[in-house]
Every structure is written in C-alpha cells, then in structure tokens.
C-alpha cells in the first residue's frame, strides 16, 4: 500500500515531465490505477500415493541426545508417534510423510509452521539418528540414539 501511494505521489508530481521522468510518472499512474495482483488461494497438498510406508514404531522409539538441544524422547502412544523436547519435555505429534520422514507443527515464538523430522535407520532396523529440520539451520539439529 505504501509503495502504491509513493508511486501515486510521483505520478502527481511528475505532470508535464519528459524523458525518463515521464516514464516514471507513467509507471506511477499505472500502479495507482491497476489492481494489485493476488496470490492464488492456498490449496491443500494432494494425498501422496507413492509414499513409502513408515517402519514399525519401535524402529524410532527411544531416547536421543544432542549437545546443543539436550535429550529428545520418541514414544509411541496408541497409533501416534510423538517426540518430547526441551527441559519441559514439550510433546509434539509426528505425522508420517514418506518412509522414515515425519513432520510436526512447531509452536511458540520461534514457530515456522511444519517441520520435517528424518530418522536415519541402521542395519539393525532401528534409528540411530534423527534430524529435526527447523533445529538444523546451523547444523545442530541431529540427535543421536543414547541406548
């Protein structure tokens, strides 16, 4: 809105200008008379039909450690896989995305929306590492299994 008002002011002040100033004035007039473009409505993602299934919950459950963020516990509660983080053990539901990748909704003042959680599974069929995408912006978001 401010940019449109500023361009309108330029158009008003530039009446009778020539050359480059006239081009700027024309741009200002066009900006104040043309409707602003709108983003297309957000569409929910279509259901993924080629996603690889998740492993059994016990492949992911356990306690993981991180020198920067501390412990993380992954638990199965009924059909839900959850992770608990931080000193208050804040609980987040992990939703399956594809294979060993899940996602969760971040919360609080540093929330970024949905964030990926990717498990690295060893040859024994159990995850030995988990990377939390929104905590990994500085390369510190990988947790290693403690057990």
């Amino acid at each position: 809105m401010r940019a449109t008002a500023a361009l309108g002011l330029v158009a008003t002040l530039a009446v009778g200008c020539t050359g480059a100033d006239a081009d700027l004035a024309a741009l200002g007039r066009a900006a104040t008379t043309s409707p602003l473009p709108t983003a297309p409505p957000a569409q929910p993602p279509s259901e993924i039909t080629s996603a690889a299934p998740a492993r059994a919950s016990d492949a992911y459950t356990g306690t993981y450690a991180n020198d920067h963020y501390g412990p993380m516990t992954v638990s199965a509660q009924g059909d839900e896989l959850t992770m608990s983080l931080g000193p208050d053990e804040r609980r987040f539901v992990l939703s399956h995305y594809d294979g060993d990748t899940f996602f969760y909704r971040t919360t609080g003042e540093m929330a970024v929306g949905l964030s990926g959680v990717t498990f690295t599974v060893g040859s024994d069929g159990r995850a030995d590492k988990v990377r939390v995408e929104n905590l990994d912006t500085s390369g510190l978001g990988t947790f290693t299994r403690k057990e």
Side-chain angles (χ1 to χ4, degrees):
M1 194 68 157
R2 286 184 186 176
T4 302
L7 287 173
L9 179 59
V10 168
T12 302
L13 294 175
V15 172
C17 295
T18 60
D21 289 337
D23 293 341
L24 183 57
L27 177 63
R29 281 189 297 277
T32 58
T33 58
S34 300
L36 294 174
T38 58
Q43 298 291 324
S46 59
E47 190 165 328
I48 299 172
T49 56
S50 61
R55 298 170 193 266
S57 296
D58 62 354
Y60 308 115
T61 57
T63 303
Y64 299 81
N66 178 293
D67 290 339
H68 186 72
Y69 292 105
M72 175 177 71
T73 302
V74 176
S75 316
Q77 297 176 347
D79 289 340
E80 284 186 337
L81 195 62
T82 63
M83 71 175 179
S84 299
L85 289 168
D88 60 349
E89 296 184 5
R90 185 149 204 169
R91 183 178 165 266
F92 300 94
V93 174
L94 297 176
S95 299
H96 183 251
Y97 180 71
D98 184 27
D100 297 318
T101 302
F102 295 78
F103 65 91
Y104 76 105
R105 180 165 302 282
T106 60
T107 60
E109 65 186 50
M110 300 298 286
V112 296
L114 299 178
S115 182
V117 176
T118 304
F119 292 88
T120 302
V121 178
S123 59
D124 62 353
R126 292 191 55 166
D128 50 14
K129 292 182 182 177
V130 58
R131 179 183 167 268
V132 181
E133 178 184 27
N134 69 301
L135 302 180
D136 200 38
T137 57
S138 299
L140 299 173
T142 298
F143 294 73
T144 305
R145 185 181 286 277
K146 283 176 58 174
E147 328 169 345

